Amino acid sequence: MNAHAIRMTTTGGPEVLEYVEIDVPDPGPSQAIVAVQASGVNFIDTYHRSGLYDVPLPFTPGSEGAGVVAAVGTDVETVAVGDRVAWVGVAASYASHVVADAGMLLRVPDDVDLETAAAIPLQAMTAHYLITDTYPLAPGDTCLVHAAAGGTGRLIVQMARLRGARVVATAGSDEKLELARAGGAEHLINYRETDIVAGVEAAVGRDAIDVVYDGVGAATFEAGLAVLRPRGVMATFGNASGPVPPVSPLSLMPKSLFLTRPSLFSHLLSDDERLGRWNEIIGWVQRGELEIRVGHTWHLAEAGAAHHALESRATTGKLLLIAGS
Ligand code: NDP
């Protein structure tokens, strides 16, 4: 079988990502082999590559994608050869073939193409838990969403609107802000040109933000605390500009703020939880209520170029590596 993967034998810049041939094993009793159509590129893959998050070497990045089941183990009853599936939380997804526990595979409806399906699981389930669990948005709430044209950010904007909340969005260019506006953001701040606190207060007033959804991290964290209402929620869920430095609990006292640093995998604790989020999101996509915007695609062999673009703030929407023909 002609199979390939991206492999790194050391941490470092995008150049450490090598395209190599691999052997595809037979599936274990509860496993499936999937021929990958597209693998999702996520910011966390850059943390694994750079060494910000520890990984065992050699390492194949990626945890998300979509494709067609090519083989199943003897005990597998939930999927069959030929099924179209997507996944999140399956290691080594930057590859032409992945080995997955069959229970991790999510069925893709016939009217959703595989590239769209590959773009959904990680970022849309993240946006979903942020707006339903971390701070359950309700009509009339006001949220601040940073990097609102990005893969995760623009999905948060759209889902916040689906729940009737008002969105204040930041992004690094006017073109990016236009994407946030088209996703439903009401107030737009170019945070390369405008101070975040001044921009938010000019838009909605002082201490008016119920929840900050912050995937940017170090560069935006303090401004987020400053614009929250008393008892508001700071959800710092990423490090795109670098990790947030240690925080003193006393800094939360003046407004009795809540601070959380959530991760997706503590919001996918059971098959029911994973399927519940997937089914609600797929329903929105099928009804045209949620736009999955693939901004950029590369061939699997060009994973390094994808990482470079993502880290250079040169992308919008979802980034995919195409392995299938
Ligand atoms: P994006 O598509 O949002 O790309 C990152 C964006 O961050 C850039 O386009 C850029 O937008 C903005 N940014 C601001 N400062 C920087 C900087 N110094 N370097 C690079 N980018 C910067 O990526 P993802 O949607 O994949 O991820 C967004 C964030 O969400 C990441 O921090 C990621 O780790 C986090 N995340 C967390 C999860 C969780 O469960 N905790 C799950 C999924 C993602 P602009 O130019 O507009 O500023």
Side-chain angles (χ1 to χ4, degrees), residues 42-43 47 122-123 126 129 147 150-152 171-172 176 191 215-216 237-241 261-264 310-311 313 315 317:
N42 293 287
F43 225 95
Y47 308 148
L122 197 148
Q123 293 176 342
T126 297
Y129 85 69
T152 309
K176 289 185 175 188
Y191 54 10
V216 172
F237 66 95
N239 327 295
S241 68
R261 197 345 180 152
S263 73
L264 176 59
L310 184 58
E311 292 174 299
R313 304 174 73 167
T315 65

Side-chain angles (χ1 to χ4, degrees), residues 149-230:
T152 309
R154 192 161 184 272
L155 292 167
I156 300 171
V157 170
Q158 292 184 74
M159 290 186 199
R161 291 296 303 138
L162 284 173
R163 286 178 78 100
R166 176 170 66 156
V167 179
V168 181
T170 65
S173 72
D174 292 346
E175 294 73 25
K176 289 185 175 188
L177 286 174
E178 182 51 31
L179 286 169
R181 192 199 57 72
E186 195 172 319
H187 300 284
L188 308 171
I189 298 166
N190 180 339
Y191 54 10
R192 290 213 203 211
E193 294 177 351
T194 302
D195 175 74
I196 294 172
V197 176
V200 171
E201 290 185 354
V204 294
R206 282 180 65 114
D207 295 352
I209 300 294
D210 295 290
V211 54
V212 179
Y213 296 118
D214 185 349
V216 172
T220 47
F221 180 76
E222 289 294 336
L225 295 184
V227 298
L228 279 166
R229 67 159 163 83

Side-chain angles (χ1 to χ4, degrees), residues 13-14 17 39-50 61-62 64 94 122-123 147 149-154 172 176 191-192 215-216 239-242 293 295-298 302-321:
L17 301 177
S39 314
V41 176
N42 293 287
F43 225 95
I44 192 171
D45 306 334
T46 72
Y47 308 148
H48 291 147
R49 191 212 69 227
S50 69
E64 164 189 67
Y94 283 15
L122 197 148
Q123 293 176 342
T152 309
R154 192 161 184 272
K176 289 185 175 188
Y191 54 10
R192 290 213 203 211
V216 172
N239 327 295
S241 68
R293 189 171 168 280
H296 313 261
T297 61
W298 290 263
E302 299 169 314
H307 277 210
H308 177 70
L310 184 58
E311 292 174 299
S312 308
R313 304 174 73 167
T315 65
T316 57
K318 184 70 192 180
L319 283 57
L320 294 178
L321 301 176

